[in-house]
């Protein structure tokens, strides 16, 4: 049993659907479905009840989820132990969900260039990324900040570098671009983008527009998919929807609706016991950092 197989199966158990699990695993639903069928073929047993919508784990497989989680934990621990023993300890990167898709590839490319150490990427909300960094669970965090709206407040324990700026823009399928009725996709109030929505976006909505919340999610990838399906307007980082805008799948609405500029920060702990990380940090800063 491969660790990646366990993670895919457990993602379905956690999300309750193939669509939600694909988002957790950062792949398209079609690619994720093909992966699951390949797992079933390799194991020679069915794992999912495809008679139900959404597709879920079979009851007998769901009953073994605890065992699979324990096995996945053991396999991760063994892999990390072997890597450390061989001197190939990797670096762990925590990113906000949208950043995982849009900006982490450039960072991973730099870190792994010319036989560099392997990189593990963790995707989470901003507060969780910073907590993982403070606890030593990850080596590096890349998160958004929005001065005066949802500021990134850090003490001396952290060192940060500005990577750039990106605008959170409203997008929707073309048919929703007109009219006063405004169905939209919201974010939970306890996540970063939820704070930006509450403090910067909502107060700027024109008085004649009628807001109708159609869905809410903490995942920008899910919000993008909802927007593409015409469920409502979604406020998304511009870099995430460039291809959708160019293809005409989505239209930007920031001429009539508010947008918000955000800063992109790369952060590490200032006092690290592992000096071997300094070289990698210096490479990233030299390649990516922008003037404040």
């Amino acid at each position: 049993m491969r660790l990646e197989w366990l993670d895919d199966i457990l993602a379905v158990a956690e999300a309750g659907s193939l669509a939600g699990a694909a988002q957790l695993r950062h792949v398209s639903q079609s690619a994720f479905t093909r992966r699951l069928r390949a797992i079933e073929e390799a194991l020679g047993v069915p794992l999912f009840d495809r008679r139900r919508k959404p597709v879920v784990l079979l009851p007998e497989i769901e009953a073994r989820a605890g065992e699979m989680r324990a096995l996945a934990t053991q396999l991760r621990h063994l892999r990390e132990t072997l890597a450390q023993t061989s001197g190939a300890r990797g670096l762990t990167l925590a990113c906000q969900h949208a950043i995982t898709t849009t900006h982490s590839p450039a960072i991973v490319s730099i870190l792994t260039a010319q036989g560099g150490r392997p990189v593990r990427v963790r995707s989470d909300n901003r507060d969780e990324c910073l907590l993982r960094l403070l606890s030593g669970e990850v080596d590096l965090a890349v998160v958004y900040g929005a001065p005066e709206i949802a500021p990134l407040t850090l003490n001396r324990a952290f060192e940060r570098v500005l990577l750039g700026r990106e605008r959170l823009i409203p997008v929707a399928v073309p048919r929703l671009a007109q009219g006063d009725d405004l169905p939209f996709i919201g974010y939970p109030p306890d996540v970063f983008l939820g704070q930006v929505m509450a403090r910067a976006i909502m107060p700027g909505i024109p008085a004649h527009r009628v807001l109708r919340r159609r869905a809410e999610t903490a995942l920008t990838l899910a919000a993008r998919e909802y927007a593409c399906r015409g469920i409502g307007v979604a406020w998304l980082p511009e870099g995430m929807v460039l291809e959708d805008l160019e293809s005409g799948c989505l239209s930007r609405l920031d001429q009539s609706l508010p947008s918000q500029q955000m800063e992109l920060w790369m952060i590490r702990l200032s006092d690290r016991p592992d000096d071997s990380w300094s070289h990698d940090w210096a490479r990233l800063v030299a390649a990516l950092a922008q003037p404040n």
Side-chain angles (χ1 to χ4, degrees):
M1 176 66 77
R2 296 170 54 181
L3 178 57
E4 292 77 10
W5 294 357
L6 288 170
D7 286 339
D8 285 346
I9 296 168
L10 291 170
V12 178
E14 180 180 347
S17 69
L18 297 190
Q23 292 163 12
L24 290 176
R25 299 293 284 154
H26 307 295
V27 297
S28 68
Q29 185 173 346
S30 59
F32 187 66
T33 299
R34 291 194 297 271
R35 260 168 38 180
L36 295 182
R37 290 193 180 279
I39 294 172
E40 288 179 312
E41 292 176 3
L43 295 177
V45 295
L47 300 173
F48 306 97
D49 186 353
R50 292 185 171 82
R51 297 169 299 178
R52 294 182 55 183
K53 300 296 181 183
V55 174
V56 295
L57 290 174
L58 290 167
E60 58 270 29
I61 304 300
E62 178 74 31
R64 311 296 291 271
E67 296 178 40
M68 288 189 284
R69 289 190 183 93
L71 178 57
T73 299
Q74 292 173 4
L75 288 174
R76 282 193 180 83
H77 179 71
L78 177 60
R79 186 166 65 182
E80 291 173 0
T81 299
L82 292 174
Q84 292 174 4
T85 301
S86 65
R89 178 189 176 277
L91 297 169
T92 305
L93 170 65
C95 298
Q96 279 181 252
H97 296 300
I99 295 171
T100 302
T101 303
T102 55
H103 298 287
S104 74
I107 297 173
V108 173
S109 177
I110 293 170
L111 289 172
T112 57
Q114 300 176 348
R117 291 186 286 180
V119 179
R120 173 185 294 176
V121 179
R122 302 287 298 270
S123 184
D124 223 321
N125 297 317
R126 186 175 79 166
D127 289 347
E128 283 72 16
C129 289
L130 296 176
L131 285 173
R132 292 185 189 280
L133 183 62
L134 188 60
S135 68
E137 188 177 343
V138 302
D139 301 290
L140 175 68
V142 184
V143 300
Y144 286 121
E148 301 179 3
I149 301 298
L152 184 61
T153 304
L154 301 174
N155 58 33
R156 294 180 180 179
F158 297 96
E159 179 180 354
R160 67 178 181 174
V161 172
L162 181 67
L163 298 185
R165 293 173 176 84
E166 185 169 26
R167 185 161 290 276
L168 187 73
I169 63 171
V171 296
V173 294
R175 64 179 173 80
L176 292 181
Q178 304 296 327
D180 292 339
D181 187 75
L182 186 64
F184 75 100
I185 313 302
Y187 295 103
D190 58 342
V191 303
F192 168 75
L193 289 181
Q195 298 171 27
V196 173
M197 289 288 291
R199 300 172 188 174
I201 302 301
M202 292 304 180
I205 299 292
H208 68 277
R209 305 303 294 266
V210 181
L211 294 173
R212 303 185 188 279
R213 186 185 299 265
R214 295 301 191 200
E216 181 178 284
T217 178
L219 296 175
T220 47
L221 284 173
R224 173 188 166 274
E225 183 66 22
Y226 299 161
C228 288
R229 290 176 180 267
I231 294 173
V233 178
W235 273 262
L236 294 166
E238 187 172 6
M240 175 179 281
V241 292
L242 287 177
E243 292 185 4
D244 298 314
L245 296 173
E246 291 174 359
S247 69
C249 172
L250 294 175
S251 298
R252 60 187 303 158
L253 309 180
D254 50 337
Q255 291 185 348
S256 59
L257 294 173
S259 61
Q260 174 63 40
Q261 181 158 284
M262 304 181 296
E263 297 173 338
L264 183 67
W265 291 96
M266 182 172 67
I267 309 166
R268 70 166 182 170
L269 287 177
S270 300
D271 185 16
R272 289 186 53 89
D274 182 8
D275 291 334
S276 64
W277 163 237
S278 297
H279 176 66
D280 297 291
W281 172 260
R283 280 197 297 151
L284 286 172
V285 171
L288 299 171
Q290 295 188 9
N292 289 357

